Amino acid sequence: MSELSKIRNIGIMAHIDAGKTTTTERILYYTGKSHRIGEVDDGEAAMDWMPQEQDRGITITSASTTCFWKGYQINIIDTPGHVDFTAEVERSLRVLDGGIVIFSAVEGVEPQSETVWHQADRYGVPRIAYINKMDRIGADFFRVLDEIREKLGAVPLPLNLPIGNEGDFEGVIDLVNLKEIRWNQEDYGNTFFESEIEGSRREYAEKWRDNLFDHLGSISDEIAELYLEGGEIPDDTVLGAVRRGTLKGEFVPVFCGASLRNMGVQPLLDAIVHFLPAPDEKGPVKGYHLYKKKDVEIECSKDGPPLALVFKIQHNREAGAMSYIRVYSGTIKSGSAVYNINKKKRERISRILRMHANRYTTEDSVSAGDIAVAIGLKLAQTGDSLGSDKFPVLLESMKFPEPVISVAIEPKTLSEKKKLDEVLKILEREDPTFTVKENEETGQLIVSGMGELHLDVLVTRMMDEFKVEAKVGNPQVSYRESITRVVEHREKYHRVIGGKDNTADITIRVEPLERGSGNSFDTTVSSDLLPQEFIDAVRRGIENSFNSGIVYGYPVIDTRVTLIDAVYNQSTSTTFAFEAAASMGFDEACRKAEPVLLEPIMSVDIMCPKEFVGDVIGHITSKKGDIINVESKHGMEHIHAKVPLANMFGYSTVLRSSTQGRGSFSMEFSHFKIKEGGFG
């Protein structure tokens, strides 16, 4: 068995409040990583180490830790459950080999669970499902199985069944061994006891064991034959078949428990090592070789050339920028130089750390398949590839959604200006969905993010953690601009600079694209008519103009620009002139193309008791929202709606007061649509 086969890189994902951090705390306790259990409700969870996480009782940043179980090294990333921090989940999934998705037995498959599930599908991450909170009123294990099937399009394969429900939940039935398992509450569930299945539950257990072997028989002829003949099926054969099916994505093993009551976590740990892949089982990772100018595949091997991906930057007051890296090939040593392939610069790694939330141990090196933190990188950003200049391979970079909400921020005094600028640079480097831009007309700094909570957290960090004295405006919507018809426009440019003529003459066509298509630049002009560097200059001018807007300066989206003609004069044409002509021509063409203002529409999911559903729907309708559907759950109604973001500011207060504090909601960006009233 290779060293790599003993490593598991896993993420723990869920909707907010499904018990994700609570479950992680139990994993750390049972693996001996922590000597006491920290509770989220007490603000003592080891993985929620930021002061704001402790104050708010939610996970904001994906914490990383390493623990050991039965000889296996498990690198765990505990990701946020709130949709405003979706970038944290996205960049974690990029480097994970497997995942545990936690569902609440009461709420079932919630909106963020769906988002995370589809993100994991995109990155091909094999998963285990864990249905938590089996001891809570309204818990229904089998309803959650149905929702996994219907909402996520997955095939749930229970390997555990609950014994009892709600207040009567007392343990689980292990369908592989056909045993009942109960946990000792006096030692926080550290010890557990197996017993034979009680007679009244025998038929129930046999029925679901038949279901297990039906699924496994479809991928293992050996199991199918033994099962049909009524023969004994060895546990190793069963576990091997479950592993193969999990890695192929044919089904999702399902476990259950009540993490807060210390029940059900050890079988989950066994499942991590039995069913989730080792780093070398995911297949080679794809990259682009800069010298060979072609796509290449990199095998996960310690003996290969060094190659790693920076998937997260975190600022530490003492250590500076902490770069979280996943190594895909070779070994990276402490004190060595690495080549930042994106920046085409060499950097030195002064130290390598193995993290346990915000504590760490120092390592001499980190090798293929492992995750660690590199200290000393000055230029690295999220998505950068690190390696050697002899093997410059760019790993696939990560794409993040555009921010949709902004606030103006300014220092309270002039002396704070420099400090504010430095802190904003740190936060922008840490978080790819946080952007900073200066309003050219007012000189104000505008910071943008994914939602009210996202910006609130970042602004609070500026003031509390970095001690910046600043004034913050009210949240504003980040609109977009686009066009509604096709226009062709000719732009001539002539300037005399330093006694030299600079001329350009281009014709461009602008046309609207479908919503969500993005922007594109094409050319029908050949490099015989216009040299390539001049075509590149036009491209630069157009792409820069996409960011500077048409009427109000909001970014332009879903627009195609095509260069259809150009006049080139060998003696007076310059790249500067062509770039300027492209920028001016784009502006004029778009103004003729009936520009429109687009506003962000949010997918809003509201949970409220049945008796308040009329009031809640009334409020949403009054905010120009469209009700998509209403689902009934145990004692609660789940309302799905689409609402303009501009009408959702302060909605949490409205919802609390109209539901006597019992309603909750989450929202995430859905799409842009033309704003009523347009530029008026």
Side-chain angles (χ1 to χ4, degrees):
M1 194 181 270
S2 70
E3 272 183 66
L4 283 173
S5 64
K6 288 285 196 175
I7 294 178
R8 298 288 181 271
N9 294 313
I10 67 152
I12 301 187
M13 301 163 271
H15 187 92
I16 192 167
D17 212 26
K20 183 168 34 61
T21 302
T22 302
T23 303
T24 309
E25 291 297 320
R26 268 65 187 171
I27 287 174
L28 298 183
Y29 180 66
Y30 299 137
T31 57
K33 192 73 193 179
S34 55
H35 301 296
R36 60 188 290 272
I37 295 175
E39 300 296 3
V40 179
D41 295 346
D42 302 335
E44 292 179 352
M47 297 295 271
D48 285 351
W49 55 270
M50 284 172 68
Q52 286 200 73
E53 293 179 312
Q54 293 163 0
D55 293 346
R56 297 171 191 258
I58 61 169
T59 302
I60 291 167
T61 176
S62 32
S64 171
T65 190
T66 299
C67 59
F68 294 85
W69 180 252
K70 297 185 177 176
Y72 286 80
Q73 175 185 321
I74 304 174
N75 296 325
I76 300 174
I77 293 178
D78 175 29
T79 62
H82 198 286
V83 291
D84 281 16
F85 306 105
T86 188
E88 285 285 339
V89 181
E90 186 87 15
R91 56 184 168 188
S92 303
L93 281 167
R94 173 67 179 79
V95 298
L96 296 175
D97 299 323
I100 296 170
V101 183
I102 300 179
F103 301 99
S104 162
V106 182
E107 283 83 12
V109 176
E110 296 178 273
Q112 181 65 358
S113 321
E114 292 185 59
T115 303
V116 168
W117 193 273
H118 297 313
Q119 285 174 316
D121 279 341
R122 194 162 66 247
Y123 288 108
V125 177
R127 276 143 282 173
I128 294 167
Y130 175 65
I131 299 175
N132 188 28
K133 303 192 176 184
M134 283 305 308
D135 58 327
R136 292 269 298 276
I137 292 171
D140 188 336
F141 177 79
F142 298 104
R143 177 175 50 78
V144 182
L145 290 185
D146 290 340
E147 289 188 8
I148 291 173
R149 199 176 289 110
E150 291 158 15
K151 292 187 175 181
L152 304 177
V155 178
L157 184 68
L159 296 183
N160 277 179
L161 294 177
I163 301 172
N165 213 28
E166 300 182 342
D168 298 326
F169 177 67
E170 55 183 81
V172 302
I173 295 171
D174 179 345
L175 290 177
V176 176
N177 298 319
L178 266 187
K179 299 278 189 195
E180 294 189 351
I181 306 173
R182 289 174 178 78
W183 280 263
N184 180 1
Q185 293 301 315
E186 290 181 11
D187 65 357
Y188 301 104
N190 238 327
T191 54
F192 51 92
F193 312 98
E194 289 187 350
S195 58
E196 293 303 317
I197 294 177
E198 191 185 297
S200 62
R201 284 189 282 271
R202 170 68 59 173
E203 191 181 333
Y204 158 69
E206 292 284 3
K207 175 193 149 195
W208 281 97
R209 187 172 160 89
D210 288 346
N211 171 70
L212 172 63
F213 287 128
D214 276 349
H215 281 94
L216 298 186
S218 66
I219 60 168
S220 167
D221 292 340
E222 183 189 355
I223 288 178
E225 284 171 28
L226 287 169
Y227 182 57
L228 289 170
E229 291 164 6
E232 190 68 32
I233 303 174
D235 288 354
D236 286 351
T237 306
V238 175
L239 297 177
V242 175
R243 181 180 182 78
R244 286 199 302 281
T246 306
L247 298 193
K248 285 181 183 170
E250 295 192 7
F251 47 68
V252 178
V254 182
F255 295 81
C256 64
S259 298
L260 194 62
R261 284 180 55 201
N262 312 309
M263 300 163 78
V265 176
Q266 290 93 334
L268 193 59
L269 277 163
D270 288 338
I272 291 168
V273 301
H274 286 319
F275 308 136
L276 293 180
D280 55 352
E281 287 181 295
K282 282 293 293 286
V285 65
K286 289 182 171 59
Y288 180 77
H289 200 296
L290 293 184
Y291 294 164
K292 296 179 181 175
K293 297 201 179 314
K294 66 173 187 178
D295 291 335
V296 292
E297 291 190 338
I298 296 99
E299 296 289 342
C300 183
S301 165
K302 279 187 177 181
D303 302 325
L307 186 63
L309 180 77
V310 178
F311 69 93
K312 175 181 167 68
I313 303 282
Q314 190 171 295
H315 184 77
N316 180 283
R317 199 167 290 164
E318 294 162 17
M322 300 170 71
S323 304
Y324 284 73
I325 60 172
R326 160 74 194 260
V327 184
Y328 287 96
S329 172
T331 298
I332 292 175
K333 293 180 179 170
S334 179
S336 67
V338 290
Y339 185 63
N340 185 323
I341 298 159
N342 296 68
K343 305 287 189 295
K344 297 185 171 59
K345 294 275 175 69
R346 291 176 77 79
E347 297 201 65
R348 182 164 292 280
I349 292 177
S350 57
R351 284 189 296 159
I352 290 172
L353 311 179
R354 186 169 298 287
M355 296 305 296
H356 171 48
N358 64 332
R359 302 193 298 281
Y360 57 82
T361 53
T362 306
E363 302 282 327
D364 295 330
S365 63
V366 56
S367 297
D370 212 346
I371 288 173
V373 167
I375 302 290
L377 299 176
K378 301 282 192 295
L379 305 171
Q381 286 179 287
T382 299
D384 281 0
S385 302
L386 306 176
S388 73
D389 46 10
K390 295 189 180 77
F391 188 67
V393 172
L394 278 176
L395 293 162
E396 180 192 2
S397 61
M398 290 169 267
K399 294 180 177 64
F400 298 108
E402 290 281 319
V404 292
I405 183 170
S406 307
V407 295
I409 186 164
E410 57 184 61
K412 282 191 176 170
T413 62
L414 277 174
S415 59
E416 287 284 297
K417 174 82 168 71
K418 189 179 175 195
K419 191 174 176 184
L420 175 63
D421 289 343
E422 284 170 6
V423 169
L424 289 173
K425 277 198 185 82
I426 288 169
L427 294 176
E428 204 172 12
R429 189 177 169 198
E430 276 188 17
D431 187 343
T433 57
F434 175 68
T435 61
V436 182
K437 193 176 169 187
E438 188 168 328
N439 185 316
E440 290 175 11
E441 291 175 18
T442 64
Q444 274 185 315
L445 283 173
I446 307 294
V447 297
S448 306
M450 296 306 297
E452 280 186 277
L453 178 63
H454 185 209
L455 282 184
D456 188 25
V457 164
L458 288 164
V459 166
T460 307
R461 278 188 69 196
M462 277 182 230
M463 295 175 179
D464 294 355
E465 195 179 315
F466 295 100
K467 308 294 184 217
V468 172
E469 296 284 324
K471 290 184 280 193
V472 181
N474 291 324
Q476 304 289 322
V477 175
S478 289
Y479 294 100
R480 297 289 183 272
E481 297 181 53
S482 194
I483 56 174
T484 54
R485 69 186 188 93
V486 180
V487 164
E488 289 186 6
H489 173 77
R490 184 176 183 184
E491 184 72 29
K492 293 181 179 180
Y493 180 91
H494 178 227
R495 291 280 188 283
V496 178
I497 299 172
K500 185 181 182 307
D501 281 338
N502 289 259
T503 65
D505 185 346
I506 60 170
T507 304
I508 59 172
R509 180 172 61 240
V510 296
E511 54 191 305
L513 297 175
E514 263 186 57
R515 287 289 157 263
S517 304
N519 295 324
S520 71
F521 171 79
D522 300 317
T523 178
T524 59
V525 176
S526 75
S527 52
D528 296 334
L529 180 66
L530 185 67
Q532 187 60 45
E533 72 237 51
F534 288 82
I535 294 174
D536 291 342
V538 173
R539 180 190 298 276
R540 276 196 307 277
I542 297 296
E543 288 180 349
N544 289 337
S545 298
F546 283 142
N547 294 322
S548 53
I550 305 166
V551 179
Y552 283 164
Y554 294 114
V556 177
I557 61 168
D558 304 333
T559 301
R560 177 186 287 130
V561 181
T562 309
L563 175 64
I564 56 175
D565 195 16
V567 178
Y568 172 65
N569 183 316
Q570 201 166 1
S571 58
T572 60
S573 289
T574 61
T575 53
F576 161 75
F578 272 79
E579 189 172 334
S583 182
M584 292 161 65
F586 174 85
D587 202 42
E588 282 300 315
C590 287
R591 284 176 183 272
K592 293 178 195 168
E594 294 174 10
V596 287
L597 188 65
L598 303 171
E599 67 175 337
I601 304 298
M602 310 302 282
S603 285
V604 181
D605 287 275
I606 305 160
M607 297 289 285
C608 72
K610 283 185 168 59
E611 61 265 35
F612 302 115
V613 76
D615 288 347
V616 170
I617 288 175
H619 276 131
I620 289 295
T621 309
S622 73
K623 291 177 178 294
K624 297 184 179 172
D626 295 322
I627 304 297
I628 308 302
N629 62 23
V630 180
E631 285 179 82
S632 289
K633 296 202 172 179
H634 183 88
M636 299 289 273
E637 295 291 303
H638 186 176
I639 302 162
H640 300 266
K642 296 267 197 269
V643 192
L645 173 62
N647 301 337
M648 287 300 291
F649 291 145
Y651 182 65
S652 54
T653 308
V654 172
L655 182 65
R656 274 199 302 273
S657 63
S658 61
T659 61
Q660 296 176 6
R662 293 163 65 195
S664 63
F665 83 103
S666 68
M667 66 177 182
E668 63 181 318
F669 172 71
S670 170
H671 63 280
F672 282 101
K673 84 166 196 182
I674 296 173
K675 185 179 186 301
E676 288 178 30
F679 290 104

